[in-house]
Amino acid sequence: MHAEWDNAHTDHTTNPTRPEPAGLTETEADWRSHLEHETPNGWLLRGNAMTETLASGRPIHLMHTTVALDAIRTSGHLYASTGCLVAALYCVPLTPEPAGLRPHNLGSYLLETKKHTRTLVFEITPDAPVPPKGIDYLRLGAIHLRTYLTYRSFLTEHEDTQLRRAALQRVQAAAPSSIPPSPTPPEHQRRTPTSSTSSPPPCRPSRSSATSTSRCSPST
């Protein structure tokens, strides 16, 4: 499990060599070159304000919008989001300027369009410069697959078939030559009932303090 998470953490300022899925590219260097030089604003993967701030060891200012401010105040905990992008505390970087802290363009958009939310600002002071690593969501496939296989028995046969069909259709749409069309999973791959009586793990808040300056090494 730890190896899967290590594989998902990526430093785009270096050129490590890791195995890629068959048919994607010959090497990770080829894939990085494609992302940096053949996609819009790809050069920002290697050089951007966030990675420079992480590597500098200076305090980092982040903005977080929430609809659960009262719950955060009561519990003293920040609540992580859940979903396909893995549990995380989603924040937007703030840039210090003479007039104050300026939000990233995504932060400006949230402030303009999410009027029902409240805004929190954090100052995170690393103990030392940290590697500018972040989660590469394209590398979370093994983690998602393991989670699905672990809790598959909680799905009805219809839900399981629907989920598998949707996954296959999205892969086929993204890479048409990777998987031949298949409206339903092969018979030997269909879900079989199990006698498991365990229940899915409940969502729990993170242990970050909402009332004091955080000290951590951000992953994004």
Side-chain angles (χ1 to χ4, degrees):
M1 180 173 66
H2 293 295
E4 294 172 351
W5 284 107
D6 288 342
N7 184 57
H9 281 80
T10 301
D11 181 352
H12 284 283
T13 67
T14 61
N15 294 306
T17 300
R18 295 178 294 187
E20 292 289 348
L24 185 60
T25 57
E26 290 294 332
T27 66
E28 182 168 6
D30 293 335
W31 178 241
R32 293 285 186 88
S33 178
H34 168 73
L35 292 178
E36 288 186 35
H37 304 297
E38 300 177 33
T39 63
N41 297 321
W43 60 273
L44 286 171
L45 288 170
R46 184 177 293 270
N48 60 76
M50 190 67 180
T51 57
E52 292 172 0
T53 302
L54 286 171
S56 72
R58 298 193 303 268
I60 301 169
H61 297 90
L62 301 173
M63 183 189 96
H64 173 69
T65 58
T66 180
V67 295
L69 182 59
D70 292 338
I72 291 173
R73 285 173 169 168
T74 300
S75 67
H77 298 152
L78 296 174
Y79 290 84
S81 300
T82 59
C84 63
L85 298 184
V86 187
L89 182 67
Y90 289 98
C91 297
V92 174
L94 298 169
T95 302
E97 293 188 341
L101 296 173
R102 175 179 59 81
H104 179 274
N105 55 9
L106 175 59
S108 298
Y109 171 80
L110 292 174
L111 291 173
E112 293 172 2
T113 60
K114 306 295 183 181
K115 301 293 186 180
H116 63 289
T117 63
R118 304 293 294 275
T119 302
L120 300 177
V121 174
F122 310 108
E123 180 183 86
I124 300 176
T125 305
D127 295 325
V130 297
K133 287 188 175 183
I135 292 289
D136 184 345
Y137 295 121
L138 296 178
R139 292 182 170 275
L140 292 174
I143 296 171
H144 288 311
L145 177 60
R146 176 168 46 79
T147 303
Y148 163 68
L149 294 176
T150 299
Y151 298 108
R152 188 181 181 188
S153 61
F154 292 97
L155 299 174
T156 65
E157 184 173 355
H158 173 72
E159 290 171 337
D160 185 64
T161 300
Q162 189 176 39
L163 177 61
R164 293 172 66 86
R165 181 183 293 116
L168 286 173
Q169 289 173 344
R170 293 183 184 185
V171 172
Q172 290 164 353
S177 62
S178 62
I179 299 178
S182 177
T184 57
E187 187 68 31
H188 70 278
Q189 292 183 2
R190 292 181 186 174
R191 186 179 71 91
T192 55
T194 67
S195 59
S196 173
T197 57
S198 60
S199 58
C203 296
R204 291 190 174 89
S206 63
R207 295 296 180 181
S208 303
S209 171
T211 57
S212 62
T213 299
S214 302
R215 288 186 175 273
C216 64
S217 298
S219 61
T220 56

